[in-house]
Amino acid sequence: MTTLLTVLDQPAELCCTPITRDAMSAENAALLAAKFKAIGDPTRLRLLSLVAAHDGNEACVCDLNEPLDLSQPTVSHHLKILVDAGLLTRTKRGTWSFYALVPGALDNLADILRTPAS
Amino acid sequence: MTTLLTVLDQPAELCCTPITRDAMSAENAALLAAKFKAIGDPTRLRLLSLVAAHDGNEACVCDLNEPLDLSQPTVSHHLKILVDAGLLTRTKRGTWSFYALVPGALDNLADILRTPAS
DNA sequence: TGGTTACATCGACAGGTATCGATATAGAGA
DNA sequence: TCTCTATATCGATACCTGTCGATGTAACCA
């Protein structure tokens, strides 16, 4: 009886009473699924990877468009989904938009997946 | 420059050359996204949680149907997706089907999300 | 053999999503 | 102000997905 899939994250969003054992509530499941769904897409995984590979975990859109072989609106669409999921932040500097990893966001998701004993 | 989102898993599926730094390849992204997509659904997250909450990380379908408030075919559909993603295994004993966590599967996904330095 | 139980599969349908071209917006520079 | 560049948003479309009732299947039991 491992106590898997606990909910420890989302301190920003006022929700999610932590469950340390037993099954996951429907509300927590919905909130977590939204985040995993955001990274459950090849393009968005690559975008996260590209951002993480840059200095300061931050990248300009101009650096993200070319390697993906997708139209600019499509890339912008995926970036918006990652921002809405709380995984990236957007900062505008001049004409350029910079996307950065939200510190700890991916680690929080990792903690949920890790089995204690295993 | 963190070396995030490396690919360490899928030893069973003959694929995925490990990338320890730099951006993720399209092939790895597709394989990983398929797994994250499987857990990117509230019902499937709850199913994983229910299975993990049972002794031996194994549960009978009869124990999984009732707490979800979904039809039996729908639950069966979600379980199949989790099996296809390599996260659960199915074992038939008599009339009953038992689903169990694949050892290490979720931990491998967690490793991919974890940022080294952070 | 026939019935019952447990579960998977099928077919259909509604809603979601990834993608694109076209367009809007907004900042920089002349 | 006018233009150019960078990016977001819009509208449309094709495809995917979650859900259900109906049905198939296989094991157990009488």
Side-chain angles (χ1 to χ4, degrees):
Chain A
M1 162 85 120
T2 60
T3 60
L4 172 64
L5 291 167
T6 62
V7 176
L8 310 166
D9 66 342
Q10 280 122 359
E13 300 161 294
L14 36 124
C15 66
C16 298
T17 63
I19 296 177
T20 50
R21 53 190 70 246
D22 206 57
M24 183 181 295
S25 74
E27 300 79 41
N28 283 336
L31 285 162
L32 285 174
K35 301 200 171 217
F36 284 120
K37 193 179 195 177
I39 60 177
D41 178 275
T43 299
R44 293 196 287 270
L45 267 183
R46 296 186 74 190
L47 281 171
L48 286 175
S49 174
L50 285 167
V51 170
H54 275 69
D55 290 341
N57 290 340
E58 189 186 54
C60 176
V61 175
C62 51
D63 297 327
L64 302 175
N65 263 322
E66 43 176 328
L68 258 46
D69 198 36
L70 287 171
S71 72
Q72 175 267 322
T74 300
V75 174
S76 188
H77 164 72
H78 287 298
L79 287 169
K80 177 174 169 48
I81 288 176
L82 290 170
V83 170
D84 290 345
L87 302 176
L88 291 182
T89 55
R90 184 167 82 100
T91 310
K92 249 202 141 176
R93 287 204 289 271
T95 313
W96 295 273
S97 285
F98 290 81
Y99 286 85
L101 288 184
V102 171
L106 291 176
D107 293 285
N108 284 342
L109 291 180
D111 290 340
I112 290 163
L113 292 183
R114 186 165 304 281
T115 56
S118 184
Chain B
M1 163 84 116
T2 60
T3 60
L4 172 64
L5 291 167
T6 62
V7 175
L8 309 166
D9 67 342
Q10 281 123 358
E13 299 160 297
L14 37 124
C15 67
C16 299
T17 62
I19 298 177
T20 51
R21 53 190 69 246
D22 208 54
M24 182 181 296
S25 74
E27 301 80 40
N28 283 334
L31 284 162
L32 285 174
K35 302 200 170 220
F36 284 119
K37 193 180 194 176
I39 59 176
D41 178 275
T43 298
R44 294 197 284 271
L45 268 183
R46 296 185 74 190
L47 282 171
L48 286 175
S49 173
L50 285 167
V51 171
H54 276 68
D55 292 341
N57 289 342
E58 188 185 55
C60 175
V61 175
C62 51
D63 297 327
L64 302 176
N65 263 321
E66 40 176 331
L68 257 48
D69 198 36
L70 287 171
S71 73
Q72 176 266 322
T74 299
V75 174
S76 188
H77 165 71
H78 286 298
L79 287 169
K80 178 173 167 49
I81 288 176
L82 290 170
V83 170
D84 291 345
L87 302 176
L88 291 183
T89 56
R90 185 166 82 101
T91 309
K92 248 201 145 178
R93 287 204 288 271
T95 313
W96 295 274
S97 284
F98 290 81
Y99 285 85
L101 289 184
V102 171
L106 291 176
D107 293 286
N108 284 342
L109 291 180
D111 290 341
I112 290 162
L113 291 183
R114 194 169 299 281
T115 55
S118 186

